[in-house]
Amino acid sequence: MTNRQLFLNHVGQTSEAPLALEIVRAEGCKLFEADGKEYIDLIGGISVCNVGHRHPKVIEAIKKQLDDYLHIMVYGELVQSPQVQYATLLTQYLPASLNSVFFTASGSEATEGAMKLAKRFQNRTQIISFKNSYHGSTQGALSVMGSEYWQQAFRPLLPDILQLNYNSVEELDNITERTACVIAETIQAEAGVLVPQNGWLKALRKKCDETGTLLVLDEIQCGFGRNGTLWAFEQFDVVPDILLLGKALGGGMPLGAFVANKKIMDSFTHDPVLGHINTFGGHPVCCAAGLAAFKVLLNEKLVEGVKKKEALFISLLHHFKIKAVRSRGLMMAVEFENFDLNKKVIDALIVANVFTDWFLFASNCLRIVPPLTISDEEITLACKKIITVLDAL
Ligand code: PMP
């Protein structure tokens, strides 16, 4: 049997039509199959590989950590240098109030931890989230997901959750003294790159301040330079009480985190002790990889190149079948009439050596979230292929 057949038979599946390509190597902005066929990767593992696949500095850091230790103890008990170094550097690049990093093993778990922290610290129960938001697939994270379609089969979910419309100022009045936290993506990714409008995030911050509610911003997908600043919230002049990180945080290894003020975070240490615990959060190899990737992002000034690369994409993506291109930095949604056309484009692009997909809540939009290291030549070639494919369809 081929590996593809074994994959379909023995690896738990998430859809009836997985892409099921077998990639044997990845480097920079390229993916390779066994027969040597190569793809320009326009999605970088869905916003994970911001410094490209297998950046030499990341590989070096992983190899060094392999020689020191792998897992030695559950999270939180031992001083592990990769965790300490990474948490310290991250907090140096965050507002002073965000000075304590709790490492998890995934983005969903960062959401779970943050919701628990808000309930515990506030001694309140209500959590508010927004339509078309995605914060993860575990039951707590699913409870705040903004889509009945993905929630209904799994009810009952968490109680006391309220969903509002993103960008609606009027609906912010639903935030009250009983709200533990409001959780929002700074830029809604799976909605097809939905950007907060005209001071909406500031109004949200203000309402949270007035009611003593914690503001949780999810930058699992939009953090680490994706939107043209290191953190997306910098563009909207707000600072969250809790920041969710994941995806690019691990430099290609599994890692998540929620970041808060130490005063808030310390409420996990008592009543009950061990308020949130895990075995693998902040795994030393993942932290070593993430730390190296973060240094690459800073040292190679990758964030500074994002806006120019976005502009190049936009200048090349003109076709009468493209209804709109919504973007913020290198997070771009190319909108088509419907899912059918989008799917045809995606399939044809795979044949034409370009790898991409669509968005969860915007299935008519092609996803472009490449490594921030993508070159002008790769952008030009990928866009040329998109236009050629559209001409042929
Ligand atoms: N929040 C956002 C905004 C995400 O995009 C994702 C992952 N797509 C998550 C949370 C969940 O992260 P993970 O898949 O690592 O659990």
Side-chain angles (χ1 to χ4, degrees):
M1 257 200 246
T2 63
N3 259 356
R4 185 176 184 281
Q5 281 162 330
L6 292 168
F7 162 76
L8 294 171
N9 289 350
H10 297 299
V11 177
Q13 297 291 306
T14 58
S15 87
E16 287 169 347
L19 292 166
L21 302 175
E22 187 175 356
I23 301 301
V24 296
R25 196 164 63 81
E27 201 82 54
C29 208
K30 296 265 170 64
L31 303 173
F32 301 88
E33 284 181 306
D35 63 3
K37 179 169 178 180
E38 63 176 63
Y39 297 87
I40 298 177
D41 182 4
L42 283 189
I43 47 178
I46 315 276
S47 280
V48 168
C49 309
N50 286 19
V51 301
H53 294 279
R54 300 187 70 257
H55 191 288
K57 294 273 190 220
V58 175
I59 300 300
E60 188 187 312
I62 291 173
K63 285 185 174 163
K64 155 99 182 44
Q65 186 56 38
L66 295 183
D67 287 336
D68 294 344
Y69 54 89
L70 304 180
H71 176 83
I72 43 174
M73 182 53 178
V74 298
Y75 177 79
E77 292 296 331
L78 298 181
V79 180
Q80 301 190 35
S81 172
Q83 279 176 6
V84 175
Q85 297 301 318
Y86 199 10
T88 305
L89 189 66
L90 274 172
T91 55
Q92 281 168 12
Y93 282 86
L94 282 166
S97 56
L98 295 172
N99 60 1
S100 177
V101 182
F102 195 115
F103 286 112
T104 63
S106 71
S108 297
E109 195 201 339
T111 304
E112 300 285 340
M115 292 198 299
K116 284 173 67 184
L117 183 64
K119 285 164 95 171
R120 167 67 185 83
F121 181 74
Q122 300 284 72
N123 200 19
R124 300 178 183 183
T125 55
Q126 187 189 49
I127 295 178
I128 291 182
S129 64
F130 296 95
K131 305 248 165 75
N132 285 335
S133 61
Y134 185 79
H135 302 291
S137 191
T138 51
Q139 296 218 41
L142 183 62
S143 303
V144 288
M145 185 176 185
S147 167
E148 182 60 20
Y149 172 76
W150 273 282
Q151 290 177 313
Q152 39 99 14
F154 306 104
R155 292 195 183 282
L157 292 167
L158 280 184
D160 217 359
I161 306 280
L162 180 67
Q163 257 167 34
L164 307 179
N165 281 304
Y166 195 79
N167 272 330
S168 163
V169 175
E170 304 81 66
E171 291 186 24
L172 296 180
D173 282 341
N174 287 288
I175 301 167
T176 68
E177 273 76 16
R178 44 178 306 277
T179 313
C181 68
V182 176
I183 175 167
E185 288 167 86
T186 313
I187 290 172
Q188 280 199 329
E190 296 307 319
V193 188
L194 201 61
V195 178
Q197 303 288 314
N198 309 325
W200 181 75
L201 269 182
K202 278 193 98 157
L204 171 59
R205 174 73 271 182
K206 186 160 170 275
K207 193 72 192 172
C208 286
D209 289 341
E210 285 164 10
T211 55
T213 300
L214 296 183
L215 175 61
V216 182
L217 287 183
D218 180 342
E219 298 221 355
I220 288 169
Q221 193 157 164
C222 60
F224 293 96
R226 172 65 50 201
N227 298 105
T229 46
L230 186 55
W231 315 114
F233 64 75
E234 293 172 53
Q235 299 179 27
F236 304 96
D237 199 20
V238 293
V239 174
D241 298 299
I242 305 179
L243 178 68
L244 307 185
L245 299 175
K247 290 193 179 273
L249 173 71
M253 297 290 283
L255 190 62
F258 52 102
V259 188
N261 189 263
K262 183 167 165 51
K263 189 169 75 94
I264 300 175
M265 197 70 91
D266 279 351
S267 50
F268 271 155
T269 64
H270 54 97
D271 305 319
V273 63
L274 308 176
H276 188 74
I277 46 174
N278 61 29
T279 299
F280 288 126
H283 189 284
V285 178
C286 303
C287 281
L291 174 61
F294 189 51
K295 286 180 179 168
V296 168
L297 193 74
L298 300 172
N299 294 339
E300 296 188 7
K301 303 198 184 314
L302 294 179
V303 187
E304 289 165 29
V306 165
K307 290 259 156 64
K308 241 184 86 216
K309 290 178 188 189
E310 174 191 20
L312 181 57
F313 266 112
I314 289 174
S315 72
L316 297 170
L317 287 173
H318 290 289
H319 193 279
F320 73 95
K321 288 179 184 158
I322 296 177
K323 287 183 66 187
V325 179
R326 274 190 306 283
S327 72
R328 190 49 85 106
L330 284 176
M331 181 188 272
M332 319 185 78
V334 183
E335 188 182 328
F336 298 113
E337 189 67 42
N338 51 40
F339 171 70
D340 277 356
L341 177 56
N342 194 24
K343 179 77 171 88
K344 281 187 191 139
V345 173
I346 290 164
D347 290 345
L349 281 172
I350 286 176
V351 175
N353 306 64
V354 177
F355 189 63
T356 177
D357 76 339
W358 60 89
F359 293 89
L360 220 49
F361 310 127
S363 60
N364 61 329
C365 295
L366 184 85
R367 188 195 300 266
I368 300 183
V369 286
L372 309 186
T373 52
I374 191 169
S375 68
D376 288 357
E377 292 71 33
E378 286 165 331
I379 295 174
T380 308
L381 183 59
C383 290
K384 209 188 232 168
K385 293 200 175 204
I386 293 172
I387 300 301
T388 307
V389 156
L390 284 172
D391 279 341
L393 281 172

